Amino acid sequence: MLSATESASEDEDDPTFLLSSSSSSSSSDDDEPPRRRRRRQAEPGPSRARDPVAHPSTSSPGARTGFPAHQTSAPEPPTGDLSWCPPVDFEPAIPDFAGNPGIQIPTVGFTEMDFFSFFFSDPLVNLMVEQTNLYVQQFVAQHPGSFLARPGGWTPVSAAEMRTFWGLVLHMGLVKKPSVRLYWSGDVLYQTPLYSSAMTRPRFEAIRKCLHYADNAACPPRTDPAYDRLYKIRPIIDHFGAKFAQAYVPGREVAIDESLVAFKGRLVFRQYIPSKRARYGVKLYKICESTSGYTYKFRVYEGRDSRIEPPECPPTLGVSGKIVWDLLHPLLDKGYHLYVDNFYTSIPLFRSLAARSTFACGTVRKNQRGLPTYPLQVPIPRGETRALTCGNLLLVRYKDKRDVLVLTTIHGNGTTPVSVRGTTATVLKPDCIVDYNRYMGGVDLSDQVLQPYNAMRKTRAWYKKVAVYMVQVAMYNAFVLFRSAGSTGTFLHFYEAVLRDLIFSDRERAGRSTSGIGGARVVPGQHFPGVVPHTGKRGRTQKKCRVCRKRGIRKDTTTQCDTCPDHPGLCIDGCFREYHTSMEF
């Protein structure tokens, strides 16, 4: 899309734009205009200027026609490449939707964990295990004096332990605490026995510090033309990108917008978007189903100098148009309806999409190249609508609290009565604005659902925050599959069921992580002692008492706790009770 600083060509002015109008009842101050782009991009990144807003004006003799009161006839329209004219019962020819929306994988008998495991699959977990262990080997070789190089400082992480680690990371989105260490605190104000029972704090922090997804030794140098700024996270991007598109096909209405992963550290492609909650961070372009918020495809912004060359992309499209084409390419030629904001809307993009049986609607800037300038500068009364067509393009100007401009290839020039919030009155709004308000929020929908469960913690490694965000997007996508398969329940219940399986399902096979200090109970509740099972050797089978060992006393016992997952050995006379009531173990 062309820069917002480029002015519209005066050769394309057409005052007949204002000859087509429709009036409606006066709208209330509570009647909000549709969502419009308020974002500003900090360097690096394409500039995005605010749409100019016309000042309100009183009615005048020329208000209905749109011409000034002193002007008795429309000026002669200059010649130009685009010929805009008033619509007369304009209705675009929209072919039938030919997509195959819905779940694309067999899900019969799937549990909540099965849906999530399709995205958070064994190959992904094994990749994390392999690269994390490899990174520790490389780090120890370069830093032989590190604590990881000491005896017992690091034991290779397993797949079961990695799942438990991610279960705890995601659970931190449910239980918020100021710092990670407080999750293992014994203070009655902070104690959460789940964490100490699943993994020791030193082990959790060691995995969190060493977590990697790609081999650092294989990364090309920055001077290499093949250097990838997203190299550290590229395997995760490729994995989730393929899985999201494989599992589900969105319905006819889709939306493209940005999400921002909060990050305030030093990063060459860090973005500043004041309208986002985080404001600073890593930007992701996403295409989502408008009704459910399912993320079908995404792209991480790499900087102004990144090259985007999507397949079959028309050469007339700018950077923003190429982003849309790249995200939408798998859905072309199927009759999809796309909704975008004024950062992406352009006449070349909408025409190119229409040629591929894909239709679009979006807010547009007044200085967009190809739009007539004079009619957009003439004030109109509040509640009035003006429209103009050029081929299959429809340009609509609606005056609410401010001017709203919408360009569409989907809608005709009809209107729909809309109720005014807080009153019994109704106003007539253009169909394109009503549908834009209804279908533009797909990306925001998924981010709003995930916001209360945000599990990201402060870190200097930007790629670790992006990885947590993408795993949580996979969680929400799994929930959409879960609901689409006919199951019921809230996202919170789905989230809880997945966490239980992640943290506890592999405990019997993997055992409790003991690389560090101390032990703990599994969860608050009743615990029952039992006899240490016989191993087949002569004599009685014994275990070291966990409490006595903590005190430096060498003592064996034939009693263990059958309730705790790692079945610790405990003396029945005092140690059993102390172990399950004191937060020191």
Side-chain angles (χ1 to χ4, degrees):
M1 186 177 69
L2 299 173
S3 172
T5 58
E6 295 176 328
S7 60
S9 172
E10 293 183 357
D11 292 340
E12 295 156 354
D13 295 355
D14 189 351
T16 58
F17 170 83
L18 298 171
L19 293 176
S20 175
S21 65
S22 63
S23 62
S24 64
S25 59
S26 177
S27 60
S28 168
D29 289 341
D30 292 334
D31 187 23
E32 292 291 338
R35 192 179 71 96
R36 302 177 67 189
R37 177 64 61 200
R38 284 91 56 193
R39 304 177 184 176
R40 306 291 174 274
Q41 293 294 334
E43 294 294 330
S47 63
R48 303 166 72 172
R50 181 183 295 273
D51 291 349
V53 179
H55 295 286
S57 63
T58 58
S59 299
S60 63
R64 287 289 177 177
T65 61
F67 302 113
H70 66 272
Q71 186 173 325
T72 58
S73 62
E76 290 296 325
T79 59
D81 295 334
L82 298 177
S83 177
W84 296 93
C85 61
V88 179
D89 297 330
F90 175 78
E91 285 294 337
I94 304 296
D96 294 335
F97 179 59
N100 182 30
I103 301 177
Q104 306 297 310
I105 58 175
T107 59
V108 178
F110 267 32
T111 64
E112 291 88 345
M113 185 61 191
D114 293 330
F115 284 102
F116 180 69
S117 293
F118 179 80
F119 302 115
F120 198 76
S121 58
D122 290 342
L124 177 62
V125 175
N126 293 334
L127 171 71
M128 296 178 183
V129 170
E130 177 184 354
Q131 293 301 326
T132 299
N133 290 330
L134 176 62
Y135 170 77
V136 173
Q137 296 177 7
Q138 297 170 346
F139 184 84
V140 169
Q142 297 176 2
H143 305 84
S146 169
F147 77 96
L148 295 176
R150 301 171 187 170
W154 173 264
T155 55
V157 63
S158 64
E161 197 175 18
M162 183 63 72
R163 290 190 184 90
T164 301
F165 168 82
W166 274 102
L168 297 180
V169 168
L170 295 175
H171 189 269
M172 291 179 180
L174 290 179
V175 181
K176 304 294 180 65
K177 297 187 182 182
S179 67
V180 172
R181 292 199 168 199
L182 288 178
Y183 287 94
W184 282 264
S185 173
D187 192 310
V188 68
L189 295 177
Y190 297 104
Q191 62 184 19
T192 309
L194 166 69
Y195 288 85
S196 55
S197 67
M199 184 176 292
T200 62
R201 179 182 58 78
R203 181 60 170 174
F204 179 88
E205 292 184 340
I207 297 176
R208 182 168 175 256
K209 176 181 176 62
C210 301
L211 186 63
H212 267 66
Y213 313 102
D215 184 5
N216 289 346
C219 180
R222 295 180 182 272
T223 56
D224 193 317
Y227 174 72
D228 183 8
R229 286 176 176 166
L230 304 178
Y231 176 82
K232 284 183 172 291
I233 201 74
R234 181 62 66 184
I236 304 294
I237 294 175
D238 294 342
H239 173 84
F240 284 122
K243 288 291 186 178
F244 290 171
Q246 177 187 354
Y248 187 83
V249 173
R252 186 180 66 173
E253 285 77 20
V254 295
I256 290 180
D257 206 348
E258 302 94 36
S259 293
L260 195 68
V261 179
F263 183 75
K264 292 188 177 181
R266 298 180 62 182
L267 187 64
V268 66
F269 50 88
R270 188 189 68 173
Q271 288 285 281
Y272 171 66
I273 305 179
S275 64
K276 291 294 187 181
R277 185 183 184 93
R279 293 196 302 162
Y280 293 93
V282 181
K283 182 171 66 176
L284 290 87
Y285 302 105
K286 296 165 61 176
I287 180 170
C288 298
E289 185 179 45
S290 296
T291 54
S292 67
Y294 182 90
T295 300
Y296 177 73
K297 194 175 180 182
F298 63 92
R299 183 183 185 94
V300 181
Y301 175 73
E302 302 178 47
R304 180 193 289 261
D305 55 347
S306 60
R307 296 291 180 264
I308 303 176
E309 299 297 337
E312 304 177 318
C313 181
T316 57
L317 300 186
V319 175
S320 61
K322 290 181 179 180
I323 293 171
V324 173
W325 195 273
D326 179 61
L327 296 175
L328 195 60
H329 184 264
L331 305 178
L332 294 177
D333 303 315
K334 297 178 181 178
Y336 273 89
H337 292 184
L338 173 67
Y339 291 84
V340 294
D341 58 33
N342 57 27
F343 175 63
Y344 305 99
T345 302
S346 69
I347 293 175
L349 173 64
F350 279 27
R351 284 183 161 181
S352 299
L353 292 177
R356 298 293 300 269
S357 297
T358 304
F359 307 92
C361 173
T363 55
V364 62
R365 297 166 179 165
K366 288 186 176 182
N367 60 355
Q368 174 64 237
R369 184 183 293 273
L371 298 185
T373 56
Y374 173 77
L376 303 181
Q377 298 171 353
V378 178
I380 62 175
R382 185 169 180 174
E384 292 288 325
T385 300
R386 303 289 188 265
L388 184 66
T389 60
C390 178
N392 61 345
L393 295 172
L394 174 68
L395 178 65
V396 175
R397 178 187 180 190
Y398 176 72
K399 181 61 180 288
D400 195 358
K401 290 184 179 179
R402 56 183 177 180
D403 278 349
V404 179
L405 290 180
V406 175
L407 188 67
T408 178
T409 59
I410 302 174
H411 305 89
N413 61 332
T415 58
T416 300
V418 178
S419 60
V420 179
R421 209 167 25 181
T423 68
T424 58
T426 60
V427 295
L428 292 176
K429 281 191 175 181
D431 294 339
C432 56
I433 292 180
V434 174
D435 284 349
Y436 179 89
N437 290 337
R438 179 185 304 166
Y439 296 121
M440 184 57 206
V443 176
D444 292 337
L445 174 60
S446 62
D447 287 344
Q448 288 169 2
V449 173
L450 289 173
Q451 179 57 38
Y453 309 95
N454 185 2
M456 288 180 284
R457 310 295 304 193
K458 187 174 181 180
T459 176
R460 295 181 180 179
W462 64 269
Y463 60 91
K464 293 183 180 180
K465 301 193 79 172
V466 174
V468 173
Y469 174 78
M470 293 173 64
V471 171
Q472 291 200 283
V473 171
M475 179 76 76
Y476 181 77
N477 279 1
F479 173 69
V480 174
L481 298 184
F482 174 75
R483 293 295 297 268
S484 299
S487 302
T488 59
T490 65
F491 179 69
L492 175 59
H493 295 154
F494 180 86
Y495 200 93
E496 292 171 343
V498 172
L499 293 187
R500 287 190 181 95
D501 281 341
L502 276 177
I503 297 174
F504 296 112
S505 63
D506 292 322
R507 296 298 302 280
E508 294 298 329
R509 177 160 51 91
R512 180 177 177 275
S513 298
T514 56
S515 298
I517 303 173
R521 301 137 314 284
V522 55
V523 288
Q526 295 181 339
H527 294 261
F528 301 96
V531 178
V532 177
H534 191 62
T535 59
K537 298 181 180 179
R538 297 179 60 183
R540 294 183 300 176
T541 304
Q542 297 178 333
K543 286 185 175 181
K544 294 180 180 180
C545 176
R546 188 72 59 87
V547 176
C548 293
R549 184 182 61 178
K550 178 73 174 179
R551 295 170 175 170
I553 302 174
R554 298 183 61 182
K555 187 175 181 180
D556 294 339
T557 179
T558 58
T559 307
Q560 67 178 14
C561 178
D562 287 341
T563 308
C564 294
D566 51 346
H567 306 309
L570 299 166
C571 298
I572 196 65
D573 52 346
C575 294
F576 189 91
R577 180 176 61 183
E578 184 174 354
Y579 180 84
H580 293 99
T581 57
S582 174
M583 292 301 298
E584 296 180 0
F585 298 98

